[in-house]
Amino acid sequence: MTLAACMTVALAATACGGESEASDSDDAYQLVEDGKLTFAMSGQYRPFNFFDDDGKLTGFDVDLGSEVAERLGLEPNPVTGPFNSLVAGLKSSRYDLIIGSMSPTEERKEQVDFTDEYYVAGAQLFVPGDASVNSVEDLENATVGVVLGTTFEEFAKEQPGVSEVRTYNSDNEALTELANGRLDAAITTNLLGLYQINETGLDIKLVGEVLFPDPAAIASQKSNAELTAEVNEILAAIREDGTYAELSEKWFGVDISQADTP
């Protein structure tokens, strides 16, 4: 179902009391724990999902997942795990959904289902602030940092100017290593990298054009098609009623659902 179609369905459902219907239909699908929506993320993808100074899991993905849970009439139960283990954990029924800025690649689609995209960022090259590199084509014998198990890792390995790809558990770690001179470049989403520069003052910069679109969708078990459909309707309703824009403004200052951001 396309996003436009989902929005039409969601609007009709809302007009007829659809939100309460979602709350009453949780017996149509299996949950890890009755009465709770357990959704997973890495917890290391600031500002989408991370632990704050008080040790609380927070971020855009957490807020969005909590909103989805509440509209399903369930208690939000966000959990974390290494990013490259999330799909396996979902397949093993350790959680109901992955709401962790995961791209719906063809390889992943063979193992789990995905909702419609809930934002589209762009993969971007970051280099030290004083670097003369202007694009990925300028890299020569470069050591590039990425998060293990991401689409960025696959892309970096294919570039002729990259001699070594170093993997990390978080983008924040890779960008810090870049600022400290241990990497020649790093690849992550433009939104995350710009947020890190603004928040921490890392001496790094974004260069070149978007390398490839990096959409994010919510993953669910293939046996839970009913849950996937309900979440799709809720995502559409959240966009339509302005809730999505409010959450996005809170974390980014812009509506990241828009394809031209930034």
Side-chain angles (χ1 to χ4, degrees), residues 45-48 119-126 152 171-172 175 186-199 204-216 251-252 254 256 258-262:
Y45 198 58
R46 184 188 296 263
F48 292 94
Y119 74 82
V120 179
Q124 200 87 41
L125 185 71
F126 288 82
F152 311 133
D171 294 88
N172 305 329
L175 293 175
I187 299 175
T188 186
T189 63
N190 43 22
L191 289 170
L192 183 145
L194 291 172
Y195 179 89
Q196 283 297 97
I197 292 171
N198 292 333
E199 290 292 310
I204 60 176
K205 61 185 179 181
L206 174 156
V207 295
E209 301 294 326
V210 169
L211 300 174
F212 56 88
D214 187 46
W251 289 104
F252 305 98
V254 295
I256 64 171
Q258 302 305 309
D260 57 355
T261 303

mmCIF file of all heavy atoms in Angstrom, residues 45-48 119-126 152 171-172 175 186-199 204-216 251-252 254 256 258-262:
data_model
loop_
_atom_site.group_PDB
_atom_site.id
_atom_site.type_symbol
_atom_site.label_atom_id
_atom_site.label_comp_id
_atom_site.label_asym_id
_atom_site.label_seq_id
_atom_site.Cartn_x
_atom_site.Cartn_y
_atom_site.Cartn_z
ATOM 1 N N TYR A 45 22.176 6.103 18.059
ATOM 2 C CA TYR A 45 21.974 6.811 16.807
ATOM 3 C C TYR A 45 21.354 8.176 17.093
ATOM 4 O O TYR A 45 20.249 8.490 16.699
ATOM 5 C CB TYR A 45 21.075 5.970 15.892
ATOM 6 C CG TYR A 45 21.120 6.347 14.430
ATOM 7 C CD1 TYR A 45 22.311 6.331 13.721
ATOM 8 C CD2 TYR A 45 19.961 6.700 13.747
ATOM 9 C CE1 TYR A 45 22.354 6.655 12.380
ATOM 10 C CE2 TYR A 45 19.981 7.025 12.403
ATOM 11 C CZ TYR A 45 21.172 7.005 11.724
ATOM 12 O OH TYR A 45 21.210 7.329 10.384
ATOM 13 N N ARG A 46 22.073 8.976 17.840
ATOM 14 C CA ARG A 46 21.627 10.311 18.232
ATOM 15 C C ARG A 46 21.427 11.186 17.001
ATOM 16 O O ARG A 46 22.289 11.199 16.116
ATOM 17 C CB ARG A 46 22.693 10.924 19.141
ATOM 18 C CG ARG A 46 22.346 12.290 19.738
ATOM 19 C CD ARG A 46 23.537 12.871 20.451
ATOM 20 N NE ARG A 46 23.966 12.103 21.602
ATOM 21 C CZ ARG A 46 23.637 12.362 22.886
ATOM 22 N NH1 ARG A 46 22.863 13.401 23.141
ATOM 23 N NH2 ARG A 46 24.085 11.618 23.864
ATOM 24 N N PRO A 47 20.312 11.903 16.906
ATOM 25 C CA PRO A 47 19.240 12.117 17.874
ATOM 26 C C PRO A 47 18.029 11.204 17.661
ATOM 27 O O PRO A 47 16.981 11.425 18.253
ATOM 28 C CB PRO A 47 18.846 13.563 17.594
ATOM 29 C CG PRO A 47 18.999 13.680 16.103
ATOM 30 C CD PRO A 47 20.200 12.831 15.758
ATOM 31 N N PHE A 48 18.170 10.186 16.816
ATOM 32 C CA PHE A 48 17.032 9.312 16.557
ATOM 33 C C PHE A 48 16.763 8.380 17.733
ATOM 34 O O PHE A 48 15.612 8.162 18.113
ATOM 35 C CB PHE A 48 17.268 8.503 15.281
ATOM 36 C CG PHE A 48 17.254 9.340 14.040
ATOM 37 C CD1 PHE A 48 18.432 9.848 13.509
ATOM 38 C CD2 PHE A 48 16.065 9.631 13.407
ATOM 39 C CE1 PHE A 48 18.425 10.633 12.369
ATOM 40 C CE2 PHE A 48 16.039 10.412 12.266
ATOM 41 C CZ PHE A 48 17.228 10.919 11.740
ATOM 42 N N TYR A 119 10.785 8.315 7.177
ATOM 43 C CA TYR A 119 11.552 9.475 6.749
ATOM 44 C C TYR A 119 12.585 9.022 5.722
ATOM 45 O O TYR A 119 12.904 7.841 5.621
ATOM 46 C CB TYR A 119 12.217 10.212 7.925
ATOM 47 C CG TYR A 119 13.426 9.530 8.552
ATOM 48 C CD1 TYR A 119 14.694 9.646 7.996
ATOM 49 C CD2 TYR A 119 13.289 8.798 9.742
ATOM 50 C CE1 TYR A 119 15.796 9.032 8.582
ATOM 51 C CE2 TYR A 119 14.388 8.186 10.335
ATOM 52 C CZ TYR A 119 15.631 8.315 9.743
ATOM 53 O OH TYR A 119 16.719 7.706 10.327
ATOM 54 N N VAL A 120 13.079 9.997 4.952
ATOM 55 C CA VAL A 120 14.143 9.727 3.986
ATOM 56 C C VAL A 120 15.243 10.752 4.207
ATOM 57 O O VAL A 120 15.037 11.946 3.994
ATOM 58 C CB VAL A 120 13.643 9.811 2.527
ATOM 59 C CG1 VAL A 120 14.806 9.550 1.566
ATOM 60 C CG2 VAL A 120 12.527 8.807 2.289
ATOM 61 N N ALA A 121 16.374 10.295 4.680
ATOM 62 C CA ALA A 121 17.551 11.148 4.787
ATOM 63 C C ALA A 121 18.456 10.845 3.599
ATOM 64 O O ALA A 121 18.025 10.226 2.621
ATOM 65 C CB ALA A 121 18.270 10.892 6.114
ATOM 66 N N GLY A 122 19.710 11.246 3.688
ATOM 67 C CA GLY A 122 20.638 10.959 2.608
ATOM 68 C C GLY A 122 21.979 10.541 3.164
ATOM 69 O O GLY A 122 22.467 11.136 4.137
ATOM 70 N N ALA A 123 22.557 9.503 2.583
ATOM 71 C CA ALA A 123 23.905 9.105 2.987
ATOM 72 C C ALA A 123 24.884 10.177 2.526
ATOM 73 O O ALA A 123 24.812 10.655 1.403
ATOM 74 C CB ALA A 123 24.263 7.760 2.358
ATOM 75 N N GLN A 124 25.804 10.548 3.411
ATOM 76 C CA GLN A 124 26.684 11.670 3.115
ATOM 77 C C GLN A 124 28.105 11.380 3.574
ATOM 78 O O GLN A 124 28.324 10.674 4.564
ATOM 79 C CB GLN A 124 26.179 12.923 3.839
ATOM 80 C CG GLN A 124 26.696 14.216 3.262
ATOM 81 C CD GLN A 124 25.831 14.735 2.132
ATOM 82 O OE1 GLN A 124 24.607 14.671 2.211
ATOM 83 N NE2 GLN A 124 26.444 15.245 1.069
ATOM 84 N N LEU A 125 29.067 11.952 2.848
ATOM 85 C CA LEU A 125 30.468 11.831 3.219
ATOM 86 C C LEU A 125 30.836 12.969 4.161
ATOM 87 O O LEU A 125 30.540 14.139 3.879
ATOM 88 C CB LEU A 125 31.357 11.888 1.974
ATOM 89 C CG LEU A 125 32.854 11.658 2.209
ATOM 90 C CD1 LEU A 125 33.113 10.187 2.567
ATOM 91 C CD2 LEU A 125 33.657 12.053 0.969
ATOM 92 N N PHE A 126 31.479 12.607 5.282
ATOM 93 C CA PHE A 126 32.004 13.594 6.229
ATOM 94 C C PHE A 126 33.512 13.441 6.293
ATOM 95 O O PHE A 126 34.040 12.319 6.282
ATOM 96 C CB PHE A 126 31.389 13.393 7.615
ATOM 97 C CG PHE A 126 29.958 13.813 7.699
ATOM 98 C CD1 PHE A 126 28.941 12.965 7.274
ATOM 99 C CD2 PHE A 126 29.609 15.063 8.183
ATOM 100 C CE1 PHE A 126 27.609 13.353 7.335
ATOM 101 C CE2 PHE A 126 28.280 15.459 8.250
ATOM 102 C CZ PHE A 126 27.278 14.608 7.830
ATOM 103 N N PHE A 152 25.765 1.891 4.686
ATOM 104 C CA PHE A 152 26.971 2.696 4.506
ATOM 105 C C PHE A 152 28.210 1.798 4.380
ATOM 106 O O PHE A 152 29.124 2.091 3.609
ATOM 107 C CB PHE A 152 27.169 3.656 5.686
ATOM 108 C CG PHE A 152 25.949 4.434 6.054
ATOM 109 C CD1 PHE A 152 25.545 4.547 7.373
ATOM 110 C CD2 PHE A 152 25.183 5.064 5.079
ATOM 111 C CE1 PHE A 152 24.420 5.271 7.721
ATOM 112 C CE2 PHE A 152 24.052 5.788 5.409
ATOM 113 C CZ PHE A 152 23.665 5.890 6.740
ATOM 114 N N ASP A 171 27.369 5.613 14.961
ATOM 115 C CA ASP A 171 27.835 6.687 14.092
ATOM 116 C C ASP A 171 28.564 7.749 14.898
ATOM 117 O O ASP A 171 29.526 8.355 14.417
ATOM 118 C CB ASP A 171 26.642 7.316 13.361
ATOM 119 C CG ASP A 171 25.994 6.363 12.400
ATOM 120 O OD1 ASP A 171 25.102 5.616 12.831
ATOM 121 O OD2 ASP A 171 26.370 6.359 11.219
ATOM 122 N N ASN A 172 28.103 7.997 16.102
ATOM 123 C CA ASN A 172 28.744 8.996 16.947
ATOM 124 C C ASN A 172 30.196 8.637 17.198
ATOM 125 O O ASN A 172 31.081 9.502 17.213
ATOM 126 C CB ASN A 172 27.992 9.122 18.282
ATOM 127 C CG ASN A 172 26.524 9.417 18.079
ATOM 128 O OD1 ASN A 172 26.144 10.064 17.116
ATOM 129 N ND2 ASN A 172 25.699 8.941 18.989
ATOM 130 N N LEU A 175 32.211 9.296 13.955
ATOM 131 C CA LEU A 175 32.436 10.718 13.717
ATOM 132 C C LEU A 175 33.454 11.294 14.690
ATOM 133 O O LEU A 175 34.244 12.177 14.329
ATOM 134 C CB LEU A 175 31.113 11.480 13.800
ATOM 135 C CG LEU A 175 30.100 11.158 12.700
ATOM 136 C CD1 LEU A 175 28.788 11.878 12.956
ATOM 137 C CD2 LEU A 175 30.643 11.524 11.317
ATOM 138 N N ALA A 186 34.133 9.528 6.979
ATOM 139 C CA ALA A 186 33.082 8.689 7.552
ATOM 140 C C ALA A 186 31.829 8.881 6.718
ATOM 141 O O ALA A 186 31.642 9.936 6.101
ATOM 142 C CB ALA A 186 32.816 9.045 9.006
ATOM 143 N N ILE A 187 30.998 7.863 6.697
ATOM 144 C CA ILE A 187 29.736 7.949 5.961
ATOM 145 C C ILE A 187 28.592 7.669 6.920
ATOM 146 O O ILE A 187 28.577 6.651 7.617
ATOM 147 C CB ILE A 187 29.688 6.949 4.792
ATOM 148 C CG1 ILE A 187 30.811 7.247 3.797
ATOM 149 C CG2 ILE A 187 28.331 7.011 4.087
ATOM 150 C CD1 ILE A 187 30.911 6.222 2.674
ATOM 151 N N THR A 188 27.660 8.601 6.956
ATOM 152 C CA THR A 188 26.440 8.427 7.744
ATOM 153 C C THR A 188 25.366 9.315 7.126
ATOM 154 O O THR A 188 25.584 9.920 6.071
ATOM 155 C CB THR A 188 26.667 8.769 9.224
ATOM 156 O OG1 THR A 188 25.473 8.452 9.966
ATOM 157 C CG2 THR A 188 26.998 10.233 9.429
ATOM 158 N N THR A 189 24.208 9.420 7.753
ATOM 159 C CA THR A 189 23.155 10.265 7.193
ATOM 160 C C THR A 189 23.466 11.732 7.439
ATOM 161 O O THR A 189 24.075 12.100 8.445
ATOM 162 C CB THR A 189 21.779 9.953 7.797
ATOM 163 O OG1 THR A 189 21.796 10.224 9.193
ATOM 164 C CG2 THR A 189 21.400 8.502 7.568
ATOM 165 N N ASN A 190 23.040 12.574 6.516
ATOM 166 C CA ASN A 190 23.266 14.005 6.668
ATOM 167 C C ASN A 190 22.628 14.545 7.945
ATOM 168 O O ASN A 190 23.235 15.356 8.649
ATOM 169 C CB ASN A 190 22.740 14.765 5.441
ATOM 170 C CG ASN A 190 21.384 14.283 4.958
ATOM 171 O OD1 ASN A 190 20.610 13.668 5.690
ATOM 172 N ND2 ASN A 190 21.095 14.554 3.693
ATOM 173 N N LEU A 191 21.438 14.075 8.277
ATOM 174 C CA LEU A 191 20.747 14.579 9.469
ATOM 175 C C LEU A 191 21.531 14.297 10.734
ATOM 176 O O LEU A 191 21.715 15.173 11.585
ATOM 177 C CB LEU A 191 19.348 13.961 9.573
ATOM 178 C CG LEU A 191 18.315 14.435 8.554
ATOM 179 C CD1 LEU A 191 17.075 13.567 8.633
ATOM 180 C CD2 LEU A 191 17.967 15.900 8.797
ATOM 181 N N LEU A 192 22.009 13.073 10.874
ATOM 182 C CA LEU A 192 22.749 12.710 12.078
ATOM 183 C C LEU A 192 24.072 13.461 12.153
ATOM 184 O O LEU A 192 24.444 13.990 13.202
ATOM 185 C CB LEU A 192 22.993 11.209 12.120
ATOM 186 C CG LEU A 192 23.709 10.677 13.365
ATOM 187 C CD1 LEU A 192 23.189 9.303 13.748
ATOM 188 C CD2 LEU A 192 25.225 10.598 13.155
ATOM 189 N N GLY A 193 24.797 13.519 11.029
ATOM 190 C CA GLY A 193 26.090 14.186 11.043
ATOM 191 C C GLY A 193 25.981 15.664 11.365
ATOM 192 O O GLY A 193 26.757 16.198 12.170
ATOM 193 N N LEU A 194 25.017 16.341 10.756
ATOM 194 C CA LEU A 194 24.831 17.757 11.025
ATOM 195 C C LEU A 194 24.418 18.005 12.468
ATOM 196 O O LEU A 194 24.845 18.976 13.092
ATOM 197 C CB LEU A 194 23.786 18.327 10.061
ATOM 198 C CG LEU A 194 24.231 18.402 8.597
ATOM 199 C CD1 LEU A 194 23.052 18.803 7.710
ATOM 200 C CD2 LEU A 194 25.378 19.391 8.425
ATOM 201 N N TYR A 195 23.583 17.121 12.999
ATOM 202 C CA TYR A 195 23.179 17.238 14.402
ATOM 203 C C TYR A 195 24.405 17.139 15.312
ATOM 204 O O TYR A 195 24.572 17.923 16.245
ATOM 205 C CB TYR A 195 22.171 16.143 14.752
ATOM 206 C CG TYR A 195 21.716 16.159 16.193
ATOM 207 C CD1 TYR A 195 20.615 16.914 16.586
ATOM 208 C CD2 TYR A 195 22.382 15.411 17.161
ATOM 209 C CE1 TYR A 195 20.193 16.924 17.908
ATOM 210 C CE2 TYR A 195 21.965 15.416 18.479
ATOM 211 C CZ TYR A 195 20.875 16.176 18.848
ATOM 212 O OH TYR A 195 20.474 16.182 20.160
ATOM 213 N N GLN A 196 25.279 16.176 15.039
ATOM 214 C CA GLN A 196 26.473 15.994 15.859
ATOM 215 C C GLN A 196 27.399 17.205 15.793
ATOM 216 O O GLN A 196 27.962 17.629 16.806
ATOM 217 C CB GLN A 196 27.232 14.744 15.415
ATOM 218 C CG GLN A 196 26.618 13.446 15.878
ATOM 219 C CD GLN A 196 26.606 13.334 17.397
ATOM 220 O OE1 GLN A 196 25.609 13.628 18.049
ATOM 221 N NE2 GLN A 196 27.728 12.945 17.964
ATOM 222 N N ILE A 197 27.551 17.770 14.607
ATOM 223 C CA ILE A 197 28.391 18.952 14.462
ATOM 224 C C ILE A 197 27.822 20.112 15.277
ATOM 225 O O ILE A 197 28.542 20.807 16.005
ATOM 226 C CB ILE A 197 28.527 19.347 12.979
ATOM 227 C CG1 ILE A 197 29.328 18.280 12.222
ATOM 228 C CG2 ILE A 197 29.195 20.706 12.839
ATOM 229 C CD1 ILE A 197 29.327 18.473 10.716
ATOM 230 N N ASN A 198 26.515 20.319 15.167
ATOM 231 C CA ASN A 198 25.873 21.423 15.872
ATOM 232 C C ASN A 198 25.883 21.237 17.386
ATOM 233 O O ASN A 198 26.062 22.192 18.142
ATOM 234 C CB ASN A 198 24.424 21.591 15.389
ATOM 235 C CG ASN A 198 24.351 22.066 13.956
ATOM 236 O OD1 ASN A 198 25.261 22.725 13.466
ATOM 237 N ND2 ASN A 198 23.262 21.734 13.274
ATOM 238 N N GLU A 199 25.700 19.988 17.837
ATOM 239 C CA GLU A 199 25.577 19.733 19.271
ATOM 240 C C GLU A 199 26.930 19.623 19.968
ATOM 241 O O GLU A 199 27.058 20.009 21.131
ATOM 242 C CB GLU A 199 24.784 18.443 19.499
ATOM 243 C CG GLU A 199 23.315 18.536 19.150
ATOM 244 C CD GLU A 199 22.565 19.452 20.097
ATOM 245 O OE1 GLU A 199 22.704 19.287 21.320
ATOM 246 O OE2 GLU A 199 21.837 20.338 19.607
ATOM 247 N N ILE A 204 34.506 18.633 11.911
ATOM 248 C CA ILE A 204 34.301 17.852 10.695
ATOM 249 C C ILE A 204 33.297 18.597 9.832
ATOM 250 O O ILE A 204 32.639 19.537 10.283
ATOM 251 C CB ILE A 204 33.780 16.428 10.996
ATOM 252 C CG1 ILE A 204 32.424 16.496 11.744
ATOM 253 C CG2 ILE A 204 34.798 15.643 11.810
ATOM 254 C CD1 ILE A 204 31.793 15.135 11.996
ATOM 255 N N LYS A 205 33.192 18.188 8.580
ATOM 256 C CA LYS A 205 32.269 18.871 7.680
ATOM 257 C C LYS A 205 31.652 17.883 6.698
ATOM 258 O O LYS A 205 32.224 16.835 6.398
ATOM 259 C CB LYS A 205 32.974 19.981 6.921
ATOM 260 C CG LYS A 205 34.131 19.506 6.045
ATOM 261 C CD LYS A 205 34.870 20.667 5.398
ATOM 262 C CE LYS A 205 36.053 20.186 4.543
ATOM 263 N NZ LYS A 205 36.802 21.298 3.934
ATOM 264 N N LEU A 206 30.498 18.235 6.208
ATOM 265 C CA LEU A 206 29.788 17.465 5.185
ATOM 266 C C LEU A 206 30.280 17.942 3.831
ATOM 267 O O LEU A 206 30.400 19.152 3.598
ATOM 268 C CB LEU A 206 28.298 17.696 5.358
ATOM 269 C CG LEU A 206 27.288 17.150 4.370
ATOM 270 C CD1 LEU A 206 25.932 17.012 5.063
ATOM 271 C CD2 LEU A 206 27.123 18.073 3.169
ATOM 272 N N VAL A 207 30.572 16.997 2.920
ATOM 273 C CA VAL A 207 31.033 17.385 1.584
ATOM 274 C C VAL A 207 30.313 16.573 0.508
ATOM 275 O O VAL A 207 29.840 15.465 0.750
ATOM 276 C CB VAL A 207 32.561 17.182 1.425
ATOM 277 C CG1 VAL A 207 33.332 18.120 2.345
ATOM 278 C CG2 VAL A 207 32.967 15.732 1.658
ATOM 279 N N GLY A 208 30.249 17.157 -0.679
ATOM 280 C CA GLY A 208 29.690 16.454 -1.825
ATOM 281 C C GLY A 208 28.177 16.361 -1.818
ATOM 282 O O GLY A 208 27.497 16.863 -0.923
ATOM 283 N N GLU A 209 27.684 15.688 -2.851
ATOM 284 C CA GLU A 209 26.251 15.464 -2.982
ATOM 285 C C GLU A 209 25.825 14.263 -2.135
ATOM 286 O O GLU A 209 26.664 13.500 -1.644
ATOM 287 C CB GLU A 209 25.907 15.191 -4.457
ATOM 288 C CG GLU A 209 26.284 16.322 -5.402
ATOM 289 C CD GLU A 209 25.487 17.579 -5.143
ATOM 290 O OE1 GLU A 209 24.301 17.453 -4.764
ATOM 291 O OE2 GLU A 209 26.037 18.681 -5.320
ATOM 292 N N VAL A 210 24.519 14.118 -1.973
ATOM 293 C CA VAL A 210 23.986 12.932 -1.298
ATOM 294 C C VAL A 210 24.445 11.698 -2.073
ATOM 295 O O VAL A 210 24.289 11.628 -3.299
ATOM 296 C CB VAL A 210 22.450 12.992 -1.217
ATOM 297 C CG1 VAL A 210 21.871 11.667 -0.767
ATOM 298 C CG2 VAL A 210 22.016 14.107 -0.278
ATOM 299 N N LEU A 211 25.021 10.734 -1.368
ATOM 300 C CA LEU A 211 25.565 9.538 -2.021
ATOM 301 C C LEU A 211 24.451 8.609 -2.491
ATOM 302 O O LEU A 211 24.530 8.015 -3.572
ATOM 303 C CB LEU A 211 26.492 8.801 -1.056
ATOM 304 C CG LEU A 211 27.701 9.618 -0.558
ATOM 305 C CD1 LEU A 211 28.469 8.851 0.502
ATOM 306 C CD2 LEU A 211 28.603 9.985 -1.726
ATOM 307 N N PHE A 212 23.445 8.469 -1.666
ATOM 308 C CA PHE A 212 22.258 7.708 -2.037
ATOM 309 C C PHE A 212 21.185 7.980 -0.989
ATOM 310 O O PHE A 212 21.500 8.312 0.151
ATOM 311 C CB PHE A 212 22.544 6.200 -2.144
ATOM 312 C CG PHE A 212 23.132 5.574 -0.903
ATOM 313 C CD1 PHE A 212 22.319 5.069 0.100
ATOM 314 C CD2 PHE A 212 24.514 5.479 -0.740
ATOM 315 C CE1 PHE A 212 22.857 4.483 1.234
ATOM 316 C CE2 PHE A 212 25.069 4.898 0.388
ATOM 317 C CZ PHE A 212 24.236 4.407 1.377
ATOM 318 N N PRO A 213 19.903 7.886 -1.356
ATOM 319 C CA PRO A 213 18.843 8.087 -0.373
ATOM 320 C C PRO A 213 18.938 7.028 0.716
ATOM 321 O O PRO A 213 19.288 5.875 0.449
ATOM 322 C CB PRO A 213 17.553 7.913 -1.192
ATOM 323 C CG PRO A 213 17.968 8.098 -2.608
ATOM 324 C CD PRO A 213 19.367 7.597 -2.702
ATOM 325 N N ASP A 214 18.639 7.423 1.938
ATOM 326 C CA ASP A 214 18.703 6.487 3.054
ATOM 327 C C ASP A 214 17.367 6.528 3.803
ATOM 328 O O ASP A 214 17.245 7.182 4.840
ATOM 329 C CB ASP A 214 19.857 6.844 3.990
ATOM 330 C CG ASP A 214 20.068 5.790 5.069
ATOM 331 O OD1 ASP A 214 20.080 4.595 4.729
ATOM 332 O OD2 ASP A 214 20.223 6.166 6.250
ATOM 333 N N PRO A 215 16.359 5.835 3.272
ATOM 334 C CA PRO A 215 15.042 5.850 3.907
ATOM 335 C C PRO A 215 15.009 4.986 5.165
ATOM 336 O O PRO A 215 15.812 4.064 5.328
ATOM 337 C CB PRO A 215 14.130 5.263 2.830
ATOM 338 C CG PRO A 215 15.032 4.335 2.078
ATOM 339 C CD PRO A 215 16.383 4.997 2.064
ATOM 340 N N ALA A 216 14.096 5.294 6.050
ATOM 341 C CA ALA A 216 13.887 4.492 7.249
ATOM 342 C C ALA A 216 12.444 4.002 7.285
ATOM 343 O O ALA A 216 11.511 4.741 6.960
ATOM 344 C CB ALA A 216 14.177 5.312 8.507
ATOM 345 N N TRP A 251 13.009 17.506 17.490
ATOM 346 C CA TRP A 251 14.345 16.918 17.421
ATOM 347 C C TRP A 251 15.244 17.529 16.361
ATOM 348 O O TRP A 251 16.481 17.492 16.490
ATOM 349 C CB TRP A 251 14.236 15.404 17.199
ATOM 350 C CG TRP A 251 13.728 14.697 18.411
ATOM 351 C CD1 TRP A 251 12.469 14.195 18.601
ATOM 352 C CD2 TRP A 251 14.432 14.453 19.625
ATOM 353 N NE1 TRP A 251 12.354 13.660 19.855
ATOM 354 C CE2 TRP A 251 13.554 13.796 20.515
ATOM 355 C CE3 TRP A 251 15.735 14.722 20.050
ATOM 356 C CZ2 TRP A 251 13.921 13.403 21.788
ATOM 357 C CZ3 TRP A 251 16.116 14.338 21.329
ATOM 358 C CH2 TRP A 251 15.216 13.688 22.182
ATOM 359 N N PHE A 252 14.660 18.100 15.292
ATOM 360 C CA PHE A 252 15.477 18.558 14.169
ATOM 361 C C PHE A 252 15.243 20.012 13.767
ATOM 362 O O PHE A 252 16.031 20.563 13.008
ATOM 363 C CB PHE A 252 15.245 17.669 12.945
ATOM 364 C CG PHE A 252 15.475 16.211 13.202
ATOM 365 C CD1 PHE A 252 14.403 15.360 13.464
ATOM 366 C CD2 PHE A 252 16.749 15.679 13.211
ATOM 367 C CE1 PHE A 252 14.606 14.017 13.719
ATOM 368 C CE2 PHE A 252 16.963 14.343 13.459
ATOM 369 C CZ PHE A 252 15.894 13.515 13.723
ATOM 370 N N VAL A 254 13.023 20.871 11.773
ATOM 371 C CA VAL A 254 12.384 20.798 10.452
ATOM 372 C C VAL A 254 11.548 19.525 10.403
ATOM 373 O O VAL A 254 11.689 18.636 11.245
ATOM 374 C CB VAL A 254 13.414 20.759 9.305
ATOM 375 C CG1 VAL A 254 14.203 22.044 9.229
ATOM 376 C CG2 VAL A 254 14.360 19.574 9.470
ATOM 377 N N ILE A 256 11.276 16.253 8.875
ATOM 378 C CA ILE A 256 12.151 15.360 8.113
ATOM 379 C C ILE A 256 11.387 14.381 7.229
ATOM 380 O O ILE A 256 11.990 13.582 6.529
ATOM 381 C CB ILE A 256 13.106 14.586 9.039
ATOM 382 C CG1 ILE A 256 12.337 13.649 9.967
ATOM 383 C CG2 ILE A 256 14.001 15.528 9.812
ATOM 384 C CD1 ILE A 256 13.244 12.706 10.760
ATOM 385 N N GLN A 258 9.810 15.366 4.769
ATOM 386 C CA GLN A 258 9.886 15.977 3.447
ATOM 387 C C GLN A 258 11.113 15.457 2.709
ATOM 388 O O GLN A 258 12.212 15.401 3.276
ATOM 389 C CB GLN A 258 9.949 17.494 3.546
ATOM 390 C CG GLN A 258 8.761 18.102 4.290
ATOM 391 C CD GLN A 258 7.441 17.688 3.695
ATOM 392 O OE1 GLN A 258 7.221 17.802 2.511
ATOM 393 N NE2 GLN A 258 6.545 17.202 4.530
ATOM 394 N N ALA A 259 10.943 15.088 1.454
ATOM 395 C CA ALA A 259 12.006 14.436 0.683
ATOM 396 C C ALA A 259 13.221 15.330 0.470
ATOM 397 O O ALA A 259 14.322 14.845 0.230
ATOM 398 C CB ALA A 259 11.467 13.999 -0.676
ATOM 399 N N ASP A 260 13.062 16.671 0.565
ATOM 400 C CA ASP A 260 14.186 17.563 0.289
ATOM 401 C C ASP A 260 14.910 18.007 1.556
ATOM 402 O O ASP A 260 15.583 19.032 1.578
ATOM 403 C CB ASP A 260 13.706 18.789 -0.486
ATOM 404 C CG ASP A 260 12.598 19.555 0.252
ATOM 405 O OD1 ASP A 260 12.153 19.072 1.299
ATOM 406 O OD2 ASP A 260 12.193 20.608 -0.245
ATOM 407 N N THR A 261 14.793 17.262 2.635
ATOM 408 C CA THR A 261 15.431 17.598 3.902
ATOM 409 C C THR A 261 16.704 16.798 4.106
ATOM 410 O O THR A 261 16.633 15.585 4.072
ATOM 411 C CB THR A 261 14.491 17.269 5.088
ATOM 412 O OG1 THR A 261 13.270 17.965 4.931
ATOM 413 C CG2 THR A 261 15.119 17.665 6.384
ATOM 414 N N PRO A 262 17.782 17.588 4.482
ATOM 415 C CA PRO A 262 18.279 18.735 3.746
ATOM 416 C C PRO A 262 19.045 18.137 2.586
ATOM 417 O O PRO A 262 19.412 16.976 2.672
ATOM 418 C CB PRO A 262 19.247 19.404 4.722
ATOM 419 C CG PRO A 262 19.652 18.343 5.678
ATOM 420 C CD PRO A 262 18.530 17.379 5.743
#
